[in-house]
Amino acid sequence: MKSLLIYFMGHASSRLSMIIMLPILTRVVSLEDFGIIGTFNAIYQVIGIFIGLSGTGAVVRAYMDRHDHGFNFQCYLYNAILINTLMFSFTLIPLYLAYKFQLIKMESSFILILPLVVLLASLKEYKLKLWNFQEKPKRFSMFLMVFSLLSIIVSTAFLFSFFPDWRGRIYAILLVEFIFFIISVYYLIKEDGIIFKINISYIKDILKYGLPLIPHSIGITLLAFSDKLILNNLSGLEDVGILSVAIGVASMLSILFIPIDNLINPFVFKFFKNPTKFGEEIYMTSFIVYFIVISFFGFLLYLVTPIIFSFYIGESF
């Protein structure tokens, strides 16, 4: 139970940092700047599908099978990182074309910054996910909490000094992601080991795992972020900014359900690897309880939203 609480604190801190930034951003940046940040986040999620290519899922599955005869997890890990890096280079041209033909209103610097941030975040996730499945809650949560805290500190420092606009938030994200990418790679090498050797069979296996998930990931992402992209193209950045604030307030609910979702992932993996009748009953009962709890807190958030906007969000929004 203590480990579950530690995991929960780590996950909750990463969601809480976004909530804490809302009153700061809505009092410093303009509606248009907030719309640029919202557009950045929406495109980030879309290209994250292709750069990430569910690599963390493939690596976690490989970690669970690492003791199989003839399997080399360290080499598999390197090939997953290699695929992410190659996919990063492939996204540069579509982003440039989207900017050139004004398919999406975005800053020219996004062509490089966006895929770079996605790549750094994707590679950072490998060690984080492995800590989760290696049942190392303290390292996992400490990593997330320090990451979230530094993100708030750097963003606030940039916004109130050099970059009192969209750049303050996005440049801070880039810097913090780079720092924690370095930390993540250090611990990957130290604890898990990486063998720098290309293995075609491992590459095929990773692609076999990730490619079929792309349609599913695109569908989920479009449901969550297509409204921002449509508004960006048809209405303007200010409307994207207003929508992003509303989504930010609604995301307060994620402080509860995202940590819970991540907490149960290792148990779900173990259940589906060795399913039992008793495990199936526990799984279904837990899902029903989870749904009821989330529904209750969703209704509660609906009731208090007017109060949140009155005291928490800047007047111009």
Side-chain angles (χ1 to χ4, degrees):
M1 188 65 187
K2 182 180 178 181
S3 295
L4 292 180
L5 180 60
I6 294 172
Y7 276 123
F8 184 86
M9 289 171 60
H11 286 298
S13 68
S14 66
R15 311 306 302 180
L16 191 60
S17 65
M18 293 182 274
I19 308 301
I20 292 173
M21 286 305 303
L22 265 180
I24 299 172
L25 287 168
T26 55
R27 285 169 172 80
V28 175
V29 306
S30 65
L31 268 172
E32 183 174 343
D33 283 326
F34 205 93
I36 293 173
I37 296 171
T39 300
F40 180 93
N41 290 332
I43 303 174
Y44 172 99
Q45 296 296 329
V46 174
I47 67 174
I49 297 170
F50 301 98
I51 293 178
L53 205 65
S54 300
T56 52
V59 166
V60 164
R61 184 201 58 182
Y63 177 79
M64 304 294 283
D65 300 330
R66 67 191 183 281
H67 297 305
D68 290 354
H69 178 70
F71 183 76
N72 191 316
F73 175 71
Q74 290 81 8
C75 184
Y76 193 96
L77 181 58
Y78 168 71
N79 283 270
I81 292 172
L82 180 63
I83 289 174
N84 293 144
T85 306
L86 290 173
M87 294 304 296
F88 156 77
S89 62
F90 294 155
T91 59
L92 296 174
I93 294 176
L95 267 180
Y96 172 75
L97 294 175
Y99 168 75
K100 181 177 177 60
F101 295 104
Q102 291 293 295
L103 299 177
I104 301 173
K105 297 182 181 73
M106 62 179 180
E107 301 295 321
S108 59
S109 58
F110 281 16
I111 298 170
L112 180 59
I113 291 177
L114 256 169
L116 183 57
V117 169
V118 173
L119 176 64
L120 294 173
S122 298
L123 299 184
K124 178 198 71 183
E125 282 293 309
Y126 283 118
K127 185 63 254 185
L128 198 59
K129 285 287 186 181
L130 286 172
W131 273 333
N132 192 12
F133 282 83
Q134 291 165 351
E135 298 181 3
K136 296 181 178 179
K138 290 183 180 179
R139 287 191 176 183
F140 178 91
S141 294
M142 184 61 68
F143 187 93
L144 276 180
M145 287 190 286
V146 176
F147 175 84
S148 303
L149 179 61
L150 189 61
S151 177
I152 294 171
I153 292 172
V154 176
S155 295
T156 304
F158 281 5
L159 286 166
F160 284 99
S161 56
F162 307 110
F163 309 112
D165 51 29
W166 63 267
R167 295 174 299 170
R169 178 58 174 163
I170 292 174
Y171 289 176
I173 291 172
L174 175 60
L175 176 59
V176 176
E177 288 286 3
F178 177 75
I179 292 171
F180 279 80
F181 153 73
I182 297 296
I183 295 171
S184 180
V185 170
Y186 168 78
Y187 278 104
L188 275 176
I189 295 172
K190 180 182 178 181
E191 297 182 353
D192 303 288
I194 300 176
I195 295 177
F196 296 87
K197 181 180 179 181
I198 296 175
N199 186 304
I200 300 300
S201 65
Y202 289 165
I203 290 175
K204 288 180 179 178
D205 185 73
I206 295 164
L207 293 176
K208 186 179 178 181
Y209 181 91
L211 289 176
L213 294 175
I214 287 180
H216 168 75
S217 300
I218 289 175
I220 296 267
T221 302
L222 289 179
L223 282 173
F225 298 99
S226 60
D227 45 7
K228 288 183 181 179
L229 299 177
I230 293 170
L231 274 178
N232 175 285
N233 189 268
L234 299 179
S235 186
L237 290 169
E238 290 192 357
D239 287 338
V240 176
I242 293 172
L243 176 64
S244 297
V245 172
I247 292 173
V249 172
S251 70
M252 290 181 178
L253 192 61
S254 68
I255 295 175
L256 177 66
F257 73 79
I258 293 294
I260 293 175
D261 185 56
N262 282 280
L263 280 175
I264 64 175
N265 273 340
F267 302 102
V268 173
F269 263 81
K270 290 178 181 178
F271 165 71
F272 282 110
K273 188 170 183 178
N274 299 295
T276 62
K277 183 66 176 177
F278 176 73
E280 183 178 337
E281 292 175 355
I282 293 294
Y283 179 79
M284 290 303 300
T285 303
S286 301
F287 176 79
I288 294 170
V289 172
Y290 174 76
F291 177 78
I292 293 171
V293 170
I294 293 300
S295 299
F296 170 76
F297 280 99
F299 181 69
L300 187 63
L301 180 61
Y302 168 77
L303 295 178
V304 301
T305 293
I307 300 173
I308 293 172
F309 269 90
S310 299
F311 294 97
Y312 199 66
I313 305 301
E315 291 184 7
S316 59
F317 288 79

